[in-house]
């Protein structure tokens, strides 16, 4: 996940201990030696899987080794050691967590919120060091998790404690041992006598989503955010529960060190940790002066929403440790470090009302009308409540004080209400029985969480507007200039009713609309004319059939080749299309069998909407079974053009990098996707290599 602005930290993320030659591997006739070898092997594979994210053996092989070690330890209890991989499983704690006194206090950082705060910090540091040159800083992320101290003695993890009040924390060793990223034994033959590693335990966003899905299945309380989930998981008295939850760890500091030389700088410390097998984050850099700090902050903020974990800022530390000692501390915070906080993505406000909005498919979405509040630097007055069940589950009522969250460009949502602030006159939400736009009954099928207006396009103007906006959107018919305000006027003034009416628009009807001039009207008409020539896949997607997204539309176009074949398709034939199941097949059949929709298709074709006839080919596709990820800006190809080439060759384009990704096509300004691909050791292509691969595969 290391973008090009950062240092080569990810390349120093530690190496897996080398595998022993086969003749050195002890067999079962020597249980002590065999057990020691198995422990080393399992630790090596754990590190490759959980830290490097690059599995070295299949899961089944790992399980085989694990079971063998378990069997030896059961047969020979004297061989069971504290740091055995089998001891990560977890057990029931006898009592609440005992207290631990930190050898070196775990102090907090001062905060900066404005650029001026950072400039002032840099000046204080420079003055304190009497420096005439720009100070060198180590910059890293401020994770939104739980601070932990890991104590290693002679290379073995013997204790883990929370920060607590800085002087005393809770002993959570049993639970920390379930975090597979944390080594139970350091990867070195010459460990320090004592090493206190400071770092953050956290939960990735995707892991929180999976955990909350399980919580819902168990009808248990969901976690509001990754930090709460990490803290709650780490404070379980039964560590078997902790073991079932995916926690992560990044080191960022040091406490006590005995029996080894302290590295000369903070960046060198983290590099040393990586060599020891301790996870460190690749998203870090060494910069100079206030300008370097602010550039790191800006670039990190730009990619914040794409990071797999939550952060609430960045941290700056004077890089040289001797200079840190020279600067010292003030009160309970170091003079040599500061946290530069991002604008809060969560805030408290009041629910003034709960109304419902009608989407293009008739979906009825409860929306909280809020007292204006700044969240993430944006004033928020509305937040989604998703659906009726979600309102009930979260127990959100009108008048409540609530936590509102906004992350990046994500629509703000209400996370939870504050129970102690609920007023006596708070009012529960009641789902209306009729659509607030057209008055049609609101219905909800038994197997769906979403209630819907039954009016359809013809009766419900809200669905009509949403459907038309989808029809003209960039990835559908791509009609430039037809935005929300223009579509609203066309519908509200009863100028258009269906998508086919767009192609009947005249110059005068458009020019007379609010905020439209002759030139604007001409541009819209030209864009509509241009949109008549499209692709079959775009046309299918533009129709707005429920459950049919871009990928499904492309599969339908590929499979049937033309509209007549698609119209004649039965549910059974639709099920033969890749990635289409019974629900999607039923939705497509229902749409295409509706006389109004059949008439719409005829009118669109009569208006001149067309696409080149596609011949279904049975010859093998060179990219069949291969998954590509596109990132950055390519020299000549747009992402859409590159994606079309990949799909035409039978490949698939994914939005995120994983171990299943076949190739990553990277252009300039490629960020976290490229870094992730490098960490996983994936094949990375520039545009030239991509086109060469495409050309060579097509010729084979």
């Amino acid at each position: 996940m290391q973008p090009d602005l950062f240092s080569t930290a990810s390349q120093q993320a530690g190496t897996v201990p080398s595998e022993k030659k086969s003749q050195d591997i002890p067999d079962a006739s020597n249980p002590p030696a065999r057990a020691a070898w198995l422990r080393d092997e399992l630790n090596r594979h754990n590190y490759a899987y959980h830290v490097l994210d690059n599995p070295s053996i299949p899961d089944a092989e790992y399980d085989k080794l694990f079971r063998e070690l378990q069997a030896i330890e059961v047969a020979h209890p004297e061989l069971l050691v504290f740091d055995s991989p089998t001891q990560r499983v977890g057990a029931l704690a006898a009592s609440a967590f005992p207290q631990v006194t930190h050898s070196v206090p775990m102090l907090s950082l001062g905060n900066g919120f404005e650029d001026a705060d950072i400039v002032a910090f840099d000046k204080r540091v420079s003055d304190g060091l009497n420096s005439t040159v720009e100070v060198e800083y180590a910059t890293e992320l401020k994770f939104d998790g739980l601070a932990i101290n890991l104590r290693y003695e002679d290379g073995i993890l013997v204790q883990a404690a929370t920060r607590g009040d800085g002087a005393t924390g809770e002993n959570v060793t049993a639970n920390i041992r379930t975090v597979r990223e944390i080594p139970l034994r350091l990867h070195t033959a010459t460990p320090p006598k004592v090493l206190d590693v400071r770092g953050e335990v956290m939960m990735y966003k995707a892991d929180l989503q999976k955990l909350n899905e399980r919580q819902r299945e168990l009808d248990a309380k969901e976690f509001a955010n990754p930090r709460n989930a990490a803290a709650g998981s780490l404070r379980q008295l039964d560590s078997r529960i902790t073991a079932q939850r995916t926690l992560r760890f990044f080191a960022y500091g040091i406490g006590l060190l005995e029996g080894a030389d302290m590295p000369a700088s903070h960046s060198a410390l983290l590099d040393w940790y990586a060599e020891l097998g301790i996870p460190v984050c690749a998203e870090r850099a060494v910069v100079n002066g206030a300008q370097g700090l602010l550039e790191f902050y800006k670039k990190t903020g730009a990619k914040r929403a794409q990071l797999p974990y939550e952060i609430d800022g960045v941290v700056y530390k004077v890089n040289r440790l001797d200079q840190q000692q020279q600067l010292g501390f003030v009160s309970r915070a170091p003079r040599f470090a500061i946290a530069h906080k991002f604008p809060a993505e969560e805030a408290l406000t009041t629910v003034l009302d709960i109304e419902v909005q009608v989407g293009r498919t008739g979906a009825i979405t409860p929306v909280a009308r809020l007292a204006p509040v700044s969240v993430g630097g944006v004033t928020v007055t509305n937040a989604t409540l998703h659906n009726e069940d979600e309102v009930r589950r979260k127990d959100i009522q009108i008048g409540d004080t609530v936590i509102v969250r906004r992350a990046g460009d994500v629509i703000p949502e209400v996370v939870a209400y504050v129970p102690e602030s609920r007023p006596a006159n708070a009012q529960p939400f009641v789902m209306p029985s009729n659509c607030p736009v057209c008055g049609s009954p609101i219905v909800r099928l038994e197997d769906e969480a979403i209630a819907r207006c039954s009016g359809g396009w013809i009766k419900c103007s809200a669905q009509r507007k949403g459907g038309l906006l989808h029809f003209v959107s960039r990835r559908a018919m791509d009609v430039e200039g037809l935005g929300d305000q223009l579509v609203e006027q066309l519908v509200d003034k009863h100028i258009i009713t269906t998508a086919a009416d767009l192609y009947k628009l005249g110059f005068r009807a458009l020019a007379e609309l609010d905020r439209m001039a002759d030139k604007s009207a001409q541009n819209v008409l030209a864009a509509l004319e241009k949109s008549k020539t499209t692709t079959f896949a775009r046309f299918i997607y533009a129709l707005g059939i429920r459950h049919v997204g871009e990928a499904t539309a492309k599969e339908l176009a590929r499979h049937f080749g033309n509209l007549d074949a698609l119209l004649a398709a039965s549910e059974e034939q639709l099920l033969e299309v890749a990635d289409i199941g019974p629900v999607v097949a039923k939705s497509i059949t229902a749409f295409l069998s509706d006389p109004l929709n059949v008439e719409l298709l005829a009118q669109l074709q009569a208006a001149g909407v067309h696409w080149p006839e596609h011949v279904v080919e049975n010859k093998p596709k060179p990219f069949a079974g291969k998954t590509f990820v596109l990132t950055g800006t390519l020299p000549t190809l747009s992402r859409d053009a590159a994606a079309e080439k990949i799909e035409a060759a039978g490949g698939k384009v994914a939005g995120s990098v994983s171990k299943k990704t076949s190739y990553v096509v990277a252009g300039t300004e490629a960020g976290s996707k490229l870094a992730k691909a490098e960490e996983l050791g994936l094949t990375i292509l520039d545009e030239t290599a991509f086109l060469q691969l495409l050309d060579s595969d097509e010729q084979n």
Side-chain angles (χ1 to χ4, degrees):
M1 298 171 290
Q2 171 196 343
D4 48 13
L5 75 121
F6 293 103
S7 69
T8 57
S10 68
Q11 299 170 13
Q12 303 165 335
T15 56
V16 183
S18 59
E19 190 170 359
K20 294 183 179 180
K21 297 179 181 179
S22 58
Q23 59 265 33
D24 298 331
I25 299 175
D27 60 25
S29 64
N30 187 346
R34 181 67 177 175
W37 178 83
L38 286 167
R39 285 194 294 270
D40 288 343
E41 280 294 283
L42 290 168
N43 284 331
R44 185 170 71 86
H45 297 312
N46 272 332
Y47 183 77
Y49 186 93
H50 294 287
V51 178
L52 301 183
D53 201 15
N54 187 22
S56 48
I57 58 171
D59 288 348
E61 288 300 310
Y62 178 92
D63 293 340
K64 182 179 177 182
L65 296 175
F66 190 91
R67 288 194 298 270
E68 184 183 355
L69 178 58
Q70 278 184 316
I72 293 175
E73 291 172 346
V74 169
H76 304 276
E78 72 277 7
L79 298 180
L80 179 60
V81 294
F82 184 76
D83 63 319
S84 172
T86 63
Q87 298 308 294
R88 289 188 184 272
V89 177
L92 185 64
S95 60
F97 304 110
Q99 299 295 295
V100 172
T101 300
H102 300 303
S103 299
V104 176
M106 297 182 70
L107 303 181
S108 300
L109 294 176
N111 292 323
F113 297 93
E114 307 293 339
D115 289 359
D117 298 333
I118 305 309
V119 173
F121 163 73
D122 176 57
K123 185 177 186 306
R124 288 195 303 272
V125 168
S126 295
D127 291 346
L129 295 173
N130 295 317
S131 178
T132 57
V133 297
E134 287 187 326
V135 177
E136 183 180 83
Y137 295 98
T139 60
E140 53 198 25
L141 307 185
K142 186 176 184 301
F143 304 109
D144 196 12
L146 194 68
I148 291 291
N149 183 86
L150 306 178
R151 167 156 292 203
Y152 288 88
E153 295 181 359
D154 296 320
I156 296 176
L157 178 65
V158 297
Q159 187 185 82
T162 61
R163 179 200 298 273
D165 62 4
T168 304
E170 296 174 315
N171 188 327
V172 290
T173 308
N175 290 344
I176 279 292
R177 289 163 64 81
T178 71
V179 181
R180 294 187 177 275
E181 289 186 330
I182 296 174
L184 300 179
R185 181 188 293 268
L186 298 178
H187 297 181
T188 177
T190 57
K193 180 175 178 56
V194 177
L195 171 62
D196 280 348
V197 177
R198 302 281 165 82
E200 199 92 355
V201 169
M202 71 195 79
M203 183 173 287
Y204 280 19
K205 299 172 188 175
D207 294 325
L208 172 64
Q209 184 176 349
K210 293 176 183 176
L211 173 58
N212 276 340
E213 287 173 359
R214 292 200 301 271
Q215 293 294 96
R216 282 193 292 272
E217 291 172 0
L218 298 171
D219 198 23
K221 180 181 178 182
E222 294 182 42
F223 293 96
N225 53 54
R227 188 191 187 286
N228 289 355
S233 300
L234 201 57
R235 289 195 171 102
Q236 292 290 327
L237 292 181
D238 186 348
S239 60
R240 290 170 297 188
I241 297 176
T242 310
Q244 294 170 4
R245 300 175 181 178
T246 306
L247 295 176
R248 317 279 183 140
F249 175 82
F250 282 132
Y252 56 65
I254 191 168
L256 183 66
L257 175 64
E258 295 179 355
D261 294 332
M262 184 73 76
S265 67
H266 182 75
S267 57
L269 170 68
L270 297 187
D271 291 343
W272 182 47
Y273 280 167
E275 293 171 5
L276 296 176
I278 299 168
V280 292
C281 183
E283 305 277 0
R284 52 191 172 99
V286 174
V287 304
N288 294 312
Q291 189 59 38
L293 298 177
L294 296 176
E295 287 177 1
F296 180 84
Y297 176 85
K298 181 179 178 181
K299 291 176 179 178
T300 302
K303 66 166 65 66
R304 181 184 182 187
Q306 283 72 51
L307 293 173
Y309 38 72
E310 296 281 6
I311 61 173
D312 55 6
V314 295
V315 175
Y316 311 135
K317 299 173 183 174
V318 173
N319 194 31
R320 283 174 45 184
L321 298 192
D322 61 335
Q323 291 183 336
Q324 290 186 8
Q325 292 177 350
Q326 182 180 340
L327 289 165
F329 299 82
V330 55
S331 184
R332 296 176 60 81
R335 288 192 177 94
F336 55 80
I338 191 171
H340 192 176
K341 302 291 287 291
F342 290 126
E345 292 197 321
E346 289 187 350
L348 289 176
T349 188
T350 305
V351 178
L352 304 178
D353 199 0
I354 299 178
E355 301 175 355
V356 296
Q357 288 183 343
V358 186
R360 69 175 179 86
T361 62
I364 303 294
T365 303
V367 176
R369 306 302 183 193
L370 307 169
V373 62
S374 178
V375 187
V378 175
T379 299
V380 172
T381 56
N382 303 311
T384 182
L385 290 166
H386 299 291
N387 56 58
E388 185 179 12
D389 289 348
E390 190 76 352
V391 180
R392 300 280 177 264
R393 185 183 65 77
K394 292 181 177 178
D395 191 21
I396 306 298
Q397 298 188 15
I398 299 168
D400 276 341
T401 297
V402 293
I403 302 169
V404 180
R405 177 189 297 151
R406 177 184 176 273
D409 295 328
V410 176
I411 297 171
E413 68 168 338
V414 174
V415 178
Y417 80 101
V418 181
E420 57 269 26
S421 299
R422 170 165 287 173
N425 62 347
Q427 301 174 36
F429 167 71
V430 178
M431 174 66 79
S433 56
N434 295 91
C435 174
V437 176
C438 69
S440 298
I442 291 176
V443 297
R444 177 177 171 183
L445 301 179
E446 289 184 9
D447 58 345
E448 292 191 359
I450 304 294
R452 299 181 188 278
C453 164
S454 60
W457 266 44
I458 302 301
K459 292 184 180 180
C460 186
S461 63
Q463 293 185 60
R464 199 175 312 141
K465 292 173 184 176
L468 287 167
L469 284 169
H470 174 77
F471 184 84
V472 302
S473 64
R474 185 171 66 87
R475 296 189 175 277
M477 299 302 287
D478 192 19
V479 184
E480 191 173 346
L482 262 176
D484 294 39
Q485 293 184 347
L486 188 52
V487 167
E488 281 204 17
Q489 289 187 72
L490 291 170
V491 172
D492 291 343
K493 294 177 183 294
H494 305 289
I495 297 172
I496 59 175
T497 301
T498 72
D501 293 338
L502 289 168
Y503 297 101
K504 302 173 187 176
L505 284 171
F507 170 78
R508 187 50 48 201
L510 277 170
E512 290 177 351
L513 294 174
D514 295 343
R515 290 187 245 186
M516 286 291 288
D518 288 358
K519 181 65 174 175
S520 299
Q522 289 171 351
N523 289 341
V524 170
L525 290 175
L528 281 165
E529 187 63 31
K530 180 182 177 183
S531 74
K532 288 180 180 179
T533 302
T534 185
T535 66
F536 189 28
R538 279 179 173 267
F539 180 76
I540 295 171
Y541 176 63
L543 295 175
I545 304 170
R546 277 190 69 196
H547 306 304
V548 176
E550 284 185 85
T552 303
K554 289 173 182 176
E555 292 294 345
L556 288 166
R558 227 184 253 129
H559 188 89
F560 292 104
N562 60 70
L563 185 57
D564 289 339
L566 178 58
L567 284 168
S570 63
E571 277 191 43
E572 290 72 20
Q573 291 171 316
L574 288 168
L575 288 170
E576 295 174 2
V577 180
D579 299 329
I580 288 184
V583 173
V584 180
K586 190 178 290 293
S587 178
I588 296 169
T589 302
F591 182 93
L592 296 178
S593 61
D594 186 323
L596 291 175
N597 293 330
V598 174
E599 176 62 23
L600 171 65
L601 297 176
Q603 288 186 17
L604 287 169
Q605 288 186 296
V609 176
H610 66 284
W611 48 88
E613 192 70 16
H614 174 72
V615 179
V616 180
E617 299 177 349
N618 293 320
K619 67 178 184 180
K621 298 287 187 179
F623 286 173
K626 298 177 181 177
T627 301
F628 289 73
V629 171
L630 302 169
T631 181
T633 303
L634 300 177
T636 64
L637 291 173
S638 68
R639 286 205 191 182
D640 286 347
E644 286 177 6
K645 288 180 178 294
I646 291 167
E647 289 163 351
K652 289 189 176 183
V653 179
S656 59
V657 175
S658 72
K659 298 164 193 170
K660 296 181 180 179
T661 304
S662 308
Y663 299 99
V664 173
V665 183
T668 58
E669 299 182 6
S672 58
K673 292 179 183 178
L674 176 59
K676 180 69 172 178
E678 290 172 341
E679 288 182 10
L680 294 176
L682 302 177
T683 302
I684 299 169
L685 309 173
D686 59 14
E687 182 181 291
T688 302
F690 164 66
L691 293 175
Q692 289 174 346
L693 176 67
L694 180 64
D695 184 58
S696 63
D697 278 353
E698 286 178 342
Q699 293 178 13
N700 289 338

